[in-house]
Amino acid sequence: MALLVVVWSVLIGLVAHPVSAAPVGVPVGGAAGTVVAWGNTAGGHATVPPGLSDVSAVAAGDAHTVALRSDGTVVAWGWDFYGQATVPAGLTGAVAVAAGGSHTLALRSDGTVLAWGDNSYGQTTLPAGLTGITAIAAGTTHSAAVRSDGTVVAWGSNLAGETTVPAGLTDVVAVAAGGLHTVALRSDGTVVAWGFSAQGRTSVPAGLTDVTAIAAAGDSQHTLALRADGTVVAWGVDDYGQATVPAGLDGITAIAAGRFQSVALRADGTVVAWGDNRWGQATVPAGLSGVTAIAAGRVHVVALRRQSPVLTASTPPATGTAGVVYAGYAFAATGTPAPTFTVDTGALPAGLALSPAGLLSGTPTTAGVATFTVRAGNGIGSPAVSAPVTITVAPAPVTSPPVTGPAPFSPPATPPTGDGTLVVTGTTGVATTTAAAGTTTVLRADGYAPATTVTFVAYSTPTVLGTATADHAGTATLPAVVPVTLAVGTHTLVAFGTAPDGSSRATTATITVTPAELADTGADLDALPVGLVLLLAGSAALVLTRGRSATA
């Protein structure tokens, strides 16, 4: 008895980590979220690191807090005198955490355990060959673990028999560690406790069954048990009412026991706390909801919550054009887990779509005005709904086809049979059937649609002589020079065009090409060289002289 008095005096002011039991191999926690803490903040243990998110489980020690992230890494903060808040470098693959008085445990996915912090009682010295572990707990100065075969291992302080596991204890699925006592939950829903038994700390209520979770606290020790029907049972020290469960409390899914306070999580994500409130640890923050896991330390409480959505971007471009890719817009909202976006009321413009991630994109297909609202929901609290959004889609722009001229006329290789006679005249207007190469003739063709183009071609080798526009009477007239390249002989002239009825029309004529005429050069005799003039004069004088001699 004297020994127990000494032990109690040494432990006054210390607290064991309260651990809610979890199913085999599953950490205490819920869907990844953010952390909220309240109560005494003197050691920084209730001051959550800025930006901490994606947390899947939490644990609270004497004056430090531990968070397990969904990627298997661990974050700790608060009092660090023994290094309990200094996470070992490179720690990954963690699936559960536990916080003791001044030490911390982490369970890895391979079934091994890592411990750090205070080791005054060997609480961080792991038993040799400790493998196959499925659950862990950390008390004030001792630690406990459940093996995959349902047996329990405990180490560290054994001042009151807290690490002396009852012989034959099997089928255990979870453990909780107090200051000087340990509690085990068996697969059949019954509870076993051992260690310091004063004031009923280890006196499990008779007939207690259907238990799904347990929690234990150090110092003025008490124990909590959660039953399958959502009710809570408590026993042990009750100095501040911590073991007096509020009347009518039900619908509970998780529990946590602090030094002199108790905490329960309801199925609706709200939290209830009772017991000591000298540091505000039993005053739950107003409006706290979406909680998935809880932990209680000496004088502080920690909650893991999923956050309901809050829209942060909901004003997409207000205009678009049919047939033109929409500028696109990303709706955004905070919330844990990440919200999913849907159209709440109204309808998007035809051709646009909203992805679950909030991306509005597509190509509008119809001109008009569309008004709608967007909902961001994640199953926590009420979804966030945007103000009405209106997008006006303008008609598709009218585009005219490019203006192109008529395709260049390409005469056939041989002249066609004419539909009429092509008249050829000289410059005097007299009809002719001959023309010298290089001379100008006038070609006249009748019977064409007014204002249409008529093309005149000379054969044998088709040579385009030119084009003319038919006048209002359908006559096309073209002054044309007979090409000097045309061989001397008979050729066919053809006028190609369009008849008044829209059909093709060709008129023909036969012409004989004669050699080119000698052209008058128009040379100026005054410009002849002087020698040539004298030569001509001399020749004339000689002729005259010979004539006189003959007559003499």
Side-chain angles (χ1 to χ4, degrees):
M1 181 65 180
L3 175 61
L4 292 179
V5 172
V6 172
V7 170
W8 180 248
S9 65
V10 171
L11 294 179
I12 290 295
L14 298 180
V15 64
H17 166 64
V19 179
S20 294
V24 177
V26 179
V28 177
T34 57
V35 176
V36 178
W38 62 95
N40 184 281
T41 61
H45 42 280
T47 303
V48 181
L52 180 63
S53 62
D54 200 30
V55 175
S56 60
V58 288
D62 186 350
H64 74 291
T65 306
V66 185
L68 171 63
R69 303 189 69 201
S70 60
D71 63 359
T73 60
V74 175
V75 179
W77 62 95
W79 194 42
D80 197 32
F81 185 80
Y82 293 98
Q84 63 266 44
T86 301
V87 180
L91 174 58
T92 59
V95 295
V97 288
S102 297
H103 72 290
T104 307
L105 303 180
L107 172 61
R108 290 192 180 105
S109 58
D110 63 0
T112 61
V113 176
L114 189 64
W116 64 94
D118 184 19
N119 196 36
S120 301
Y121 293 86
Q123 61 265 49
T124 61
T125 300
L126 303 178
L130 186 65
T131 59
I133 301 303
T134 60
I136 52 176
T140 300
T141 54
H142 74 289
S143 303
V146 179
R147 286 194 176 102
S148 58
D149 62 2
T151 60
V152 175
V153 181
W155 64 97
S157 170
N158 197 34
L159 296 175
E162 61 267 36
T163 58
T164 301
V165 180
L169 180 62
T170 59
D171 297 325
V172 174
V173 295
V175 287
L180 293 170
H181 76 297
T182 306
V183 186
L185 172 63
R186 303 185 68 195
S187 60
D188 62 1
T190 59
V191 176
V192 178
W194 63 94
F196 192 41
S197 60
Q199 295 180 278
R201 294 166 174 82
T202 60
S203 299
V204 178
L208 179 62
T209 58
D210 295 327
V211 175
T212 60
I214 52 177
D219 285 0
S220 296
Q221 302 164 350
H222 68 291
T223 303
L224 302 178
L226 173 63
R227 302 188 68 196
D229 62 1
T231 60
V232 177
V233 178
W235 64 92
V237 177
D238 196 27
D239 293 346
Y240 291 88
Q242 64 267 38
T244 301
V245 179
L249 183 66
D250 58 10
I252 303 303
T253 60
I255 51 176
R259 182 185 185 187
F260 297 128
Q261 80 271 11
S262 299
V263 188
L265 172 62
R266 287 193 174 104
D268 64 2
T270 59
V271 175
V272 179
W274 64 96
D276 186 15
N277 196 36
R278 286 175 291 173
W279 289 274
Q281 65 267 44
T283 300
V284 179
L288 180 63
S289 62
V291 175
T292 60
I294 51 176
R298 177 175 180 172
V299 286
H300 77 293
V301 178
V302 184
L304 174 62
R305 68 172 178 177
R306 294 185 293 177
Q307 185 176 353
S308 59
V310 176
L311 280 166
T312 57
S314 57
T315 55
T319 59
T321 303
V324 178
V325 176
Y326 181 65
Y329 185 77
F331 286 85
T334 59
T336 306
T340 297
F341 295 84
T342 57
V343 175
D344 187 54
T345 62
L348 301 175
L352 296 190
L354 179 67
S355 75
L359 180 61
L360 179 64
S361 61
T363 300
T365 58
T366 306
V369 178
T371 299
F372 57 93
T373 59
V374 171
R375 169 194 293 254
N378 64 356
I380 303 301
S382 299
V385 179
S386 71
V389 175
T390 298
I391 296 178
T392 301
V393 178
V398 178
T399 57
S400 300
V403 177
T404 59
F409 179 76
S410 179
T414 58
T417 301
D419 300 323
T421 301
L422 170 64
V423 177
V424 182
T425 64
T427 54
T428 61
V430 178
T432 183
T433 58
T434 63
T439 61
T440 299
T441 59
V442 178
L443 310 180
R444 189 181 76 246
D446 299 318
Y448 297 89
T452 59
T453 299
V454 178
T455 303
F456 295 85
V457 180
Y459 286 87
S460 299
T461 301
T463 302
V464 176
L465 302 178
T467 61
T469 301
D471 60 19
H472 68 282
T475 299
T477 303
L478 176 70
V481 176
V482 179
V484 295
T485 56
L486 286 180
V488 174
T490 301
H491 294 271
T492 300
L493 301 179
V494 182
F496 293 95
T498 302
D501 63 0
S503 62
S504 297
R505 176 175 173 77
T507 55
T508 60
T510 300
I511 189 170
T512 300
V513 177
T514 60
E517 297 177 351
L518 181 62
D520 181 4
T521 64
D524 186 358
L525 293 178
D526 292 340
L528 292 175
V530 176
L532 179 58
V533 173
L534 292 176
L535 177 61
L536 292 175
S539 297
L542 178 60
V543 170
L544 290 175
T545 302
R546 288 180 176 176
R548 289 174 182 170
S549 297
T551 58

